[in-house]
């Protein structure tokens, strides 16, 4: 049964809930095939239960018997299984909050599984909690408890992924990442999947091209294992939503390993050079599957890159990265000295997703306006709103310079922010995580920011600002509950 739970989260080699994360996969054919594989496995599970005289989960529910034979029947199911089913707006809202959290959790588990790290208890929780979203008998109290439990599971999943990443690639270390370009053509790798990047780097050795990271792949440069590839040149561009302009000027092939894809304009010449793999997909983009030998073959991309021009420069210089928990622990002494001397008075966790809405530039203004004795702890693509600002350093009494933006990595690396907070709490002898001089402002756009939020709530963090606005799926009743229990507010509400 445990093995089946793991398989259910990665239908047919593709991570099923991860595929439905915002901006990961726009290919209806792929998603329908995933649903049909899921239905086949449901039948397998039912037969397995019947053979062992076991209770069939949710046997009497619609989810256990639903069997669409056509695309039309599939789409018609929306009224019965869609987001707006049911009349209680708070139950709908909690179910959607749970679903978002589970998709984020599935993403972490998938990345860890790609690195060979699986946890049966986490896989089983994911399967059971997904089944709970189809249970019409769960009331608001039961769903609230499940949402908060999902936050606890998220902390465990983030620890699993952190161990998988650092076990394979080493602990991230402070690194100056180039943001200019070289003389050779390149391949641009976007998304979050480090294993894909590793395979591409291996296959493109000595091929006369360079590999560039984009958006959430930037933190790869900080891992010791990735530093051994001299053709991992640097990072090109910014957060996901600027990809039309940046992909055009890159002039070489692009590989999407996960979210976030922006549908290309009809006349976009770069569209012919985009490839997807893993959870990512878009109609018309070529998809690279893992072969029966367990390997992804990137030869077509590499050959295409060899015929391309080098990228046009967008900017030049370097940006610092690599402040994950192990590196921050190494800097703990000067950080504590700076706190005790009064040179460092406050931290602001500014993490999560970036987006194209104009009000997101408020994060840049906010970062610029912070007092010079404040350090930003960041992770996720939200960082691009302030990671290229010259905010300077705080100098500890012993002379060590502490940058005012400490970038822990991808949204997947938010675990590092938790570890840093717990490290400071213990070092400062505090009882409660909320006694730390830390403010939290989480920028959300997709499901992985939601699971980070649930993890922080599970740890008891109070007064988080979520922005730029609260998710539309939070009903007034659920938003009020989160405000009363956790002090959660929208950035908008705080600014008003
Ligand atoms: Fe960004 Fe899509 Fe969420 Fe990984 S790449 S944080 S939005």
């Amino acid at each position: 049964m445990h093995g089946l739970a793991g398989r259910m989260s990665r239908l047919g080699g593709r991570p099923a809930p991860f595929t439905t994360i915002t901006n990961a996969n726009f290919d209806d054919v792929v998603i329908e095939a995933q649903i049909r594989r899921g239905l086949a496995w449901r039948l397998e599970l039912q037969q397995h239960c019947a053979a062992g005289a076991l209770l069939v989960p949710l046997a009497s529910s619609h989810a256990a018997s639903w069997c669409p034979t056509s695309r039309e029947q599939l789409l018609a199911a929306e009224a019965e299984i869609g987001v707006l089913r049911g009349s209680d707006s708070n139950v709908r809202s909690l179910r959607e909050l749970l679903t978002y959290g589970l998709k984020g959790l599935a993403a972490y588990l998938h990345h860890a599984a790609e690195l060979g790290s699986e946890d049966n208890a986490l896989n089983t929780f994911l399967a059971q909690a997904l089944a709970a979203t189809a249970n019409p008998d769960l009331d608001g109290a039961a769903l609230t408890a499940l949402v908060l439990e999902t936050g606890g599971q998220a902390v465990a999943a983030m620890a699993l992924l952190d161990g998988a990443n650092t076990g394979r690639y080493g602990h991230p270390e402070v690194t100056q990442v180039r943001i200019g370009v070289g003389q050779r053509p390149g391949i641009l790798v976007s998304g979050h999947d480090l294993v894909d990047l590793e395979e591409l780097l291996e296959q493109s050795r000595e091929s006369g091209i360079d590999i560039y990271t984009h958006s959430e792949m930037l933190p790869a440069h900080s891992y010791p294992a990735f530093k051994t590839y001299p053709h991992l040149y640097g990072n090109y561009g910014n957060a996901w939503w600027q990809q039309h302009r940046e992909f055009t000027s890159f002039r070489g092939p692009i590989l999407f390993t996960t979210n976030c894809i922006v549908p290309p304009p009809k006349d976009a010449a770069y569209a012919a050079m985009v490839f997807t793999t893993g959870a990512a997909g878009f109609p018309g983009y070529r998809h690279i599957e893992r072969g029966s030998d367990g390997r992804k073959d990137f030869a077509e991309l590499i050959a295409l890159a060899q015929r391309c021009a080098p990228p046009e420069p967008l900017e030049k210089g370097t940006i610092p990265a690599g402040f994950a928990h192990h590196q921050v622990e190494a800097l703990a002494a000067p950080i504590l000295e700076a706190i005790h001397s009064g040179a460092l008075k406050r931290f602001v966790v500014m993490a999560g997703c970036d987006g194209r809405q104009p009000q997101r530039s408020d994060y840049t203004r906010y970062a610029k306006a912070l007092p010079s004795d404040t350090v930003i702890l960041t992770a996720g693509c939200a960082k691009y709103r302030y990671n290229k600002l010259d905010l300077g350093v705080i100098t500890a009494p012993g002379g060590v310079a502490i940058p005012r933006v400490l970038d822990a990595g991808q949204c997947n690396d938010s675990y590092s922010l938790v570890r840093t907070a717990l490290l400071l709490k213990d070092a400062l002898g505090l009882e409660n995580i909320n006694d730390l001089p830390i403010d939290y402002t989480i920028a959300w756009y997709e499901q992985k920011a939601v699971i980070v939020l649930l993890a922080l709530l599970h740890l008891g963090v109070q007064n988080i600002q979520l922005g730029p606005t609260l998710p539309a799926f939070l009903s007034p009743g659920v938003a009020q509950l989160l405000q009363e229990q956790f002090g959660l507010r929208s950035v908008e509400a705080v600014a008003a």
Side-chain angles (χ1 to χ4, degrees), residues 35-372:
I35 292 170
R36 299 213 174 277
R37 275 191 214 105
L39 293 171
W41 283 10
R42 184 191 64 188
L43 183 63
E44 189 185 324
L45 178 63
Q46 287 167 335
Q47 289 168 346
H48 179 80
C49 290
L54 298 169
L55 214 59
V56 176
L58 292 171
S60 60
S61 80
H62 178 252
S65 57
W66 179 61
C67 198
T69 52
S70 64
R71 170 75 68 92
E72 289 67 36
Q73 280 185 16
L74 248 180
L75 296 175
E78 191 185 350
E80 283 162 294
I81 62 169
V83 172
L84 294 177
R85 70 187 184 279
S87 56
D88 186 324
S89 63
N90 292 333
V91 165
R92 279 202 310 247
S93 174
L94 286 163
R95 198 171 49 219
E96 198 56 11
L97 180 56
L98 175 61
T99 304
Y100 260 59
L102 294 175
K103 289 184 183 189
L105 181 67
Y108 293 150
L109 294 180
H110 171 72
H111 285 303
E114 286 290 280
L115 288 155
S117 289
E118 293 211 57
D119 182 305
N120 278 336
L122 284 166
N123 282 339
T124 302
F125 172 82
L126 177 62
Q128 288 175 337
L130 282 170
T133 65
N135 183 347
D137 299 329
L138 287 191
D139 60 11
L143 283 166
T144 302
L146 200 47
V147 164
L148 297 179
E149 188 185 350
T150 303
Q153 301 286 333
V155 176
M158 290 196 287
L160 181 76
L161 177 57
D162 183 73
N165 279 335
T166 56
R168 174 97 146 236
Y169 303 119
H171 283 285
E173 51 198 25
V174 179
T175 305
Q176 290 294 330
V177 181
R178 286 187 287 216
I179 54 175
V181 300
Q183 303 297 313
R184 308 196 301 180
I187 295 174
L188 189 59
V189 187
S190 198
H192 304 72
D193 199 306
L194 297 177
V195 179
D196 291 331
L197 177 65
E198 180 190 358
E199 288 193 65
L200 177 62
L201 284 165
E202 273 299 321
Q203 292 175 36
S204 56
R205 279 180 192 275
E206 313 296 338
S207 59
I209 64 164
D210 288 322
I211 305 296
Y212 290 79
T213 57
H214 176 257
S215 189
E216 278 286 69
M217 203 54 89
L218 158 66
H221 295 274
S222 308
Y223 287 94
F226 286 113
K227 290 183 177 186
T228 62
Y229 295 97
H231 65 304
L232 179 59
Y233 187 88
N235 190 72
Y236 189 82
N238 296 281
W240 61 273
W241 58 276
Q242 303 200 47
Q243 58 192 249
H244 291 163
R245 180 176 73 95
E246 294 171 355
F247 288 2
T248 300
S249 59
F250 186 72
R251 304 196 293 196
I254 296 128
L255 175 66
F256 271 107
T257 64
T258 59
N259 55 318
C260 278
I261 296 173
V262 178
K266 279 200 168 36
D267 56 349
Y270 74 77
M273 292 204 284
V274 182
F275 295 71
T276 61
T277 190
F282 191 88
Y285 288 172
R286 278 159 289 180
H287 189 81
I288 297 173
E289 293 281 7
R290 194 170 292 289
S292 54
D293 58 355
R295 177 176 175 274
K296 289 184 181 177
D297 185 353
F298 293 114
E300 189 182 351
L301 265 131
I302 295 165
L304 181 55
Q306 287 167 329
R307 300 194 296 274
C308 290
E312 287 174 26
L314 290 174
E315 48 201 346
K316 57 185 179 184
T318 62
I319 49 172
F323 292 95
H325 62 88
H326 191 262
Q327 180 65 79
V328 173
E329 277 160 32
L331 281 171
I335 288 175
L336 289 168
E337 283 167 15
I339 292 173
H340 291 310
S341 72
L344 198 175
K345 289 204 173 62
R346 210 151 185 87
F347 295 89
V348 184
V349 169
M350 291 173 73
C353 307
D354 197 10
R356 64 164 65 81
Q357 301 95 326
Q359 69 261 49
R360 296 216 179 224
S361 55
D362 289 348
Y363 289 109
T364 310
R365 280 195 285 278
Y366 180 72
K368 282 183 183 169
L370 284 171
S372 58

